[in-house]
Amino acid sequence: NADLIPSLPESIIAAACSRSGQRVLHVDSRSYYGGNWASFSFSGILSWLKEYQENSDIVNEGPAWQEQILENEEAIALSRKDKTIQHVEVFCYASQDLHEEVEEAGALQKNHASVISENPTEAVHSAYLPSEDESLCIASCEMLTEQTPSSDLETALEISNVKVTGETEKHDDKTCMKSASEEETSKNVPTTEGTALQPKKTRITYSQIIKEGRRFNIDLVSKLLYSRGLLIDLLIKSNVSRYAEFKNITRILAFREGRVEQVPCSRADVFNSKQLTMVEKRMLMKFLTFCMEYEKHPDEYKAYEEITFSEYLKTQKLTPNLQYFVLHSIAMTSETASNTIDGLKATKNFLHCLGRYGNTPFLFPLYGQGELPQCFLIDKNEKDKNEIYSRFAIIDQFGQRIISKHFLVEDSYFSENTCSHVQYRQISRSVLITDRSVLKTDSDQQISILTVPGEEPGTFAVRVIELCSSTMTCMKGTYLVHLTCTSSKTAREDLEPVVQKLFTPYTETETENEEVEKPRLLWALYFNMRDSSDVSRNSYNDLPSNVYVCSGPDSGLGNDNAVKQAETLFQLICPNEDFCPPPPNPEDIITDGDSLQSEASEASVILEANSETPKESASLGNPEEASQ
């Protein structure tokens, strides 16, 4: 009844349609799962970079499927090129003490005869998920299960059109790395893993990152879950939360006057803070209390609705210190981005989410954001319907026709003709691997979010999310740092100034006992991602009424846009159906093999029910358990 190209919105719709009794088929041309919501191991991200380069060489030609089009049918060609990612640049600052046989720990044995493959899918790493159980979801979605990982530097070096730079003893920071053929004859040619030199304890080398590559889960999109947001509510309502684990974000940070400091946001944090005076603590608590119920006091803000939230804060007799904390770390906006109402709503939402699961409003899924689409697909049941519709058909590369009533597709699959009138925004993204946190504390297992304001008025603030190894996204002794902002230039031009403020590149000249004030930068990736979240369906040319368009990730911190989009499209496909209802009690499910037995014993069940004692009836089900 429905065909989907799967990412987070499509996966949510798949689970909702399946629970409503619909048959759902997933179709995906990518060699990895989840689209721009995917997570990769370290060798997986190298393979993704290689595939990005190969994707730029694809030419859309008229394939043989055109012969399968009937006289009364009109074809809509889907593009083979993915143009949602642009301006990819990679920098390696860690020590380049690589050896030829260095591979990810636990990776499949490399086939030396086929390192360089014309088929991009052969280079895709087989373990985007952390466990074998979760990889079963990939197999059920017709993903490749026998893939040869390309986990050494050779994968990265084959990227000719992607800018890759690194630091070596003979090169500066901006020196481009050699090609694969040159690397084989250089002094940096790796030997075997067994003869690799043991790295110093105070240094993280590139070979260590390669060996521990399966410890990394690198998200293409960086988001958090508000503890009372739409996605958390949906996970709980649908019971899909049983397939995922989460950690609470432990710190809200601010960058002010050239240094990073922790922001007090809960009542306990405010009164225990040493950064605020007693007068400031009282002023802050009074203002935050007002924000929690600002709708009840319209006289306090009605006169300021047309000005920015930053200007409004100045009228509330808050000190510059408090104005900065509220604007950038609680409302998480900038001086010009939000008006008074938007700022008050954002502040209330922040405060409303406090305390549900911890001292901050945010949760992060273990193993990365890429887990969430697969949670909904694991939940998708296999209930079939006998009714077949013929309003829409897909013809694959083999000429096979797949009949479907509805078709959901991410807009990245549309051809240039379909998107000729669409204007897209862009998101600037950066992923960093560092050796320590931006704010050192007694614990090295801190998960932090930091907002760095734009340097000039009107420029966009940069959101920084720092993940520790307990999130299962990086190896021990390192941190995975995500930077995100709305694009004004290329990702590197937008984000590198912030990276330079917070981190210092690793250099070979550092002495072992040298104290570095900032965390060392070991590896960096920059890229721009398309943001189609504000594009209406009418902007696309000549789409049939039963083709539904899903957008890719937006630049927001939460996932509300994806959930709203999924619910809206589901109601168009299945009107009057409940959106992702709770699953039935397993004890109430009757399979086909049990139907005859249940019919034969129906009379005896009725008799037993009539003879039940009140005590026995009460023990049949716990209302509290049923509600859960």
Side-chain angles (χ1 to χ4, degrees):
N1 297 115
D3 291 287
L4 306 99
I5 310 287
S7 61
L8 181 58
E10 293 95 318
S11 300
I12 295 174
I13 297 171
C17 289
S18 182
R19 287 195 177 176
S20 298
Q22 305 295 316
R23 298 179 63 184
V24 180
L25 173 68
H26 290 272
V27 183
D28 197 345
S29 66
R30 295 185 178 97
S31 55
Y32 56 90
Y33 194 74
N36 285 345
W37 300 83
S39 296
F40 297 98
S41 69
F42 190 75
S43 68
I45 201 71
L46 297 183
S47 297
W48 177 79
L49 291 170
K50 177 184 177 183
E51 190 168 317
Y52 164 82
Q53 186 270 329
E54 292 177 342
N55 176 73
S56 64
D57 297 333
I58 293 176
V59 177
N60 285 320
E61 299 176 350
W65 56 259
Q66 291 185 349
E67 301 176 359
Q68 305 292 328
I69 304 300
L70 303 180
E71 293 182 359
N72 60 341
E73 293 179 335
E74 182 179 353
I76 301 176
L78 299 182
S79 176
R80 295 177 58 200
K81 291 185 178 181
D82 182 4
K83 298 184 178 181
T84 61
I85 303 297
Q86 296 178 338
H87 309 300
V88 179
E89 299 182 65
V90 185
F91 299 87
C92 182
Y93 301 95
S95 176
Q96 300 284 325
D97 62 339
L98 284 176
H99 297 272
E100 187 176 8
E101 300 300 327
V102 170
E103 294 183 354
E104 282 189 357
L108 298 176
Q109 182 64 33
K110 180 175 67 175
N111 182 358
H112 295 273
S114 61
V115 173
I116 301 177
S117 171
E118 295 181 359
N119 185 353
T121 62
E122 294 180 13
V124 179
H125 186 246
S126 61
Y128 297 129
L129 293 182
S131 67
E132 294 179 359
D133 292 338
E134 288 167 305
S135 67
L136 295 177
C137 175
I138 299 181
S140 66
C141 298
E142 300 184 357
M143 287 291 292
L144 298 176
T145 56
E146 297 181 4
Q147 296 166 334
T148 302
S150 179
S151 56
D152 56 13
L153 184 62
E154 216 166 342
T155 304
L157 297 176
E158 292 169 17
I159 308 169
S160 58
N161 292 339
V162 180
K163 296 182 182 178
V164 184
T165 69
E167 285 192 347
T168 64
E169 295 181 357
K170 299 181 179 180
H171 295 77
D172 296 331
D173 291 357
K174 306 305 178 185
T175 302
C176 291
M177 298 176 69
K178 304 172 187 177
S179 67
S181 59
E182 292 173 330
E183 193 71 20
E184 291 176 356
T185 59
S186 71
K187 294 183 180 180
N188 286 334
V189 172
T191 57
T192 61
E193 182 177 354
T195 60
L197 296 176
Q198 291 295 330
K200 297 178 181 180
K201 293 182 179 179
T202 57
R203 293 290 184 267
I204 302 295
T205 64
Y206 193 75
S207 62
Q208 284 180 278
I209 296 175
I210 292 291
K211 291 178 185 178
E212 299 294 327
R214 291 170 68 91
R215 303 285 185 186
F216 289 89
N217 283 284
I218 301 173
D219 293 325
L220 292 184
V221 59
S222 177
K223 289 182 176 291
L224 299 177
L225 285 76
Y226 281 92
S227 62
R228 297 185 187 275
L230 294 181
L231 185 54
I232 287 291
D233 291 343
L234 182 63
L235 289 167
I236 295 173
K237 170 191 173 184
S238 61
N239 204 23
V240 174
S241 57
R242 58 185 165 172
Y243 302 116
E245 296 180 79
F246 301 88
K247 287 188 74 72
N248 186 247
I249 305 303
T250 57
R251 302 184 301 185
I252 309 293
L253 304 179
F255 184 80
R256 189 161 183 253
E257 297 178 353
R259 68 178 187 272
V260 179
E261 53 190 30
Q262 187 166 350
V263 176
C265 47
S266 67
R267 182 183 295 271
D269 289 342
V270 169
F271 286 104
N272 290 330
S273 174
K274 297 179 181 180
Q275 304 164 258
L276 305 178
T277 66
M278 187 58 65
V279 174
E280 284 181 318
K281 292 177 181 180
R282 291 171 181 167
M283 294 170 63
L284 180 59
M285 287 307 304
K286 180 180 179 181
F287 179 75
L288 295 181
T289 301
F290 159 72
C291 290
M292 279 296 294
E293 47 187 24
Y294 74 92
E295 296 99 332
K296 298 180 181 179
H297 308 283
D299 295 339
E300 297 288 332
Y301 64 87
K302 280 292 184 182
Y304 307 101
E305 287 184 345
E306 302 301 324
I307 65 174
T308 64
F309 187 54
S310 175
E311 293 294 327
Y312 172 73
L313 292 177
K314 296 176 182 178
T315 68
Q316 298 303 298
K317 300 180 181 180
L318 298 174
T319 64
N321 197 29
L322 295 181
Q323 292 177 35
Y324 189 93
F325 284 165
V326 172
L327 183 67
H328 298 293
S329 300
I330 296 180
M332 294 187 177
T333 184
S334 62
E335 282 82 357
T336 59
S338 300
N339 59 31
T340 298
I341 300 299
D342 292 337
L344 290 174
K345 287 180 179 178
T347 304
K348 179 180 178 179
N349 184 50
F350 182 99
L351 299 172
H352 180 63
C353 295
L354 281 174
R356 187 177 192 184
Y357 299 111
N359 289 331
T360 70
F362 306 112
L363 295 174
F364 180 79
L366 291 187
Y367 304 104
Q369 180 79 20
E371 289 292 283
L372 297 179
Q374 303 191 61
C375 289
F376 285 96
L377 295 183
I378 293 173
D379 183 74
K380 183 174 70 68
N381 63 45
E382 301 297 331
K383 184 175 180 181
D384 292 340
K385 276 194 170 185
N386 295 324
E387 188 174 5
I388 297 179
Y389 300 88
S390 58
R391 289 181 55 192
F392 194 88
I394 300 173
I395 300 177
D396 64 15
Q397 60 180 333
F398 304 107
Q400 179 184 7
R401 297 176 64 89
I402 304 171
I403 307 300
S404 176
K405 184 179 180 180
H406 305 284
F407 183 65
L408 288 89
V409 59
E410 187 181 275
D411 72 321
S412 61
Y413 281 89
F414 287 143
S415 65
E416 293 183 358
N417 292 334
T418 305
C419 304
S420 60
H421 297 99
V422 180
Q423 296 293 325
Y424 294 108
R425 296 181 300 184
Q426 297 288 326
I427 304 170
S428 290
R429 289 277 293 115
S430 180
V431 182
L432 314 176
I433 300 176
T434 66
D435 67 342
R436 63 181 174 88
S437 174
V438 294
L439 182 62
K440 294 183 65 175
T441 58
D442 295 336
S443 172
D444 63 351
Q445 295 299 310
Q446 298 282 356
I447 311 172
S448 312
I449 179 171
L450 165 67
T451 302
V452 180
E455 292 184 339
E456 301 176 0
T459 59
F460 297 103
V462 176
R463 182 174 70 244
V464 182
I465 297 177
E466 182 184 71
L467 306 173
C468 60
S469 60
S470 64
T471 63
M472 306 303 178
T473 60
C474 58
M475 59 181 279
K476 289 185 178 181
T478 65
Y479 287 81
L480 191 67
V481 183
H482 292 273
L483 291 84
T484 307
C485 74
T486 301
S487 298
S488 57
K489 304 175 183 177
T490 67
R492 183 183 170 193
E493 292 172 323
D494 285 337
L495 300 175
E496 193 172 47
V498 175
V499 173
Q500 293 172 347
K501 290 179 182 178
L502 299 176
F503 307 98
T504 183
Y506 168 88
T507 61
E508 295 281 359
T509 58
E510 293 178 10
T511 62
E512 181 176 352
N513 297 323
E514 182 179 353
E515 287 292 331
V516 181
E517 181 180 356
K518 300 177 184 178
R520 294 184 184 93
L521 182 59
L522 305 174
W523 184 84
L525 166 66
Y526 298 91
F527 61 92
N528 289 90
M529 177 184 291
R530 177 192 292 176
D531 179 2
S532 57
S533 58
D534 64 337
V535 178
S536 67
R537 186 185 185 281
N538 296 331
S539 301
Y540 301 99
N541 299 328
D542 303 325
L543 291 183
S545 60
N546 59 333
V547 173
Y548 307 91
V549 184
C550 290
S551 69
D554 64 330
S555 61
L557 176 60
N559 296 273
D560 284 2
N561 181 70
V563 177
K564 290 178 181 177
Q565 184 177 170
E567 184 170 10
T568 299
L569 294 178
F570 172 78
Q571 295 299 338
L572 294 175
I573 297 171
C574 303
N576 304 320
E577 292 282 352
D578 190 11
F579 179 60
C580 279
N585 189 327
E587 298 177 356
D588 298 334
I589 298 177
I590 301 176
T591 62
D592 294 339
D594 297 333
S595 59
L596 295 178
Q597 181 180 354
S598 62
E599 292 174 1
S601 60
E602 182 178 2
S604 61
V605 171
I606 295 174
L607 292 175
E608 289 177 6
N610 291 335
S611 62
E612 253 180 1
T613 63
K615 182 177 180 180
E616 290 170 336
S617 297
S619 66
L620 292 177
N622 188 334
E624 294 182 0
E625 293 179 356
S627 64
Q628 293 175 354

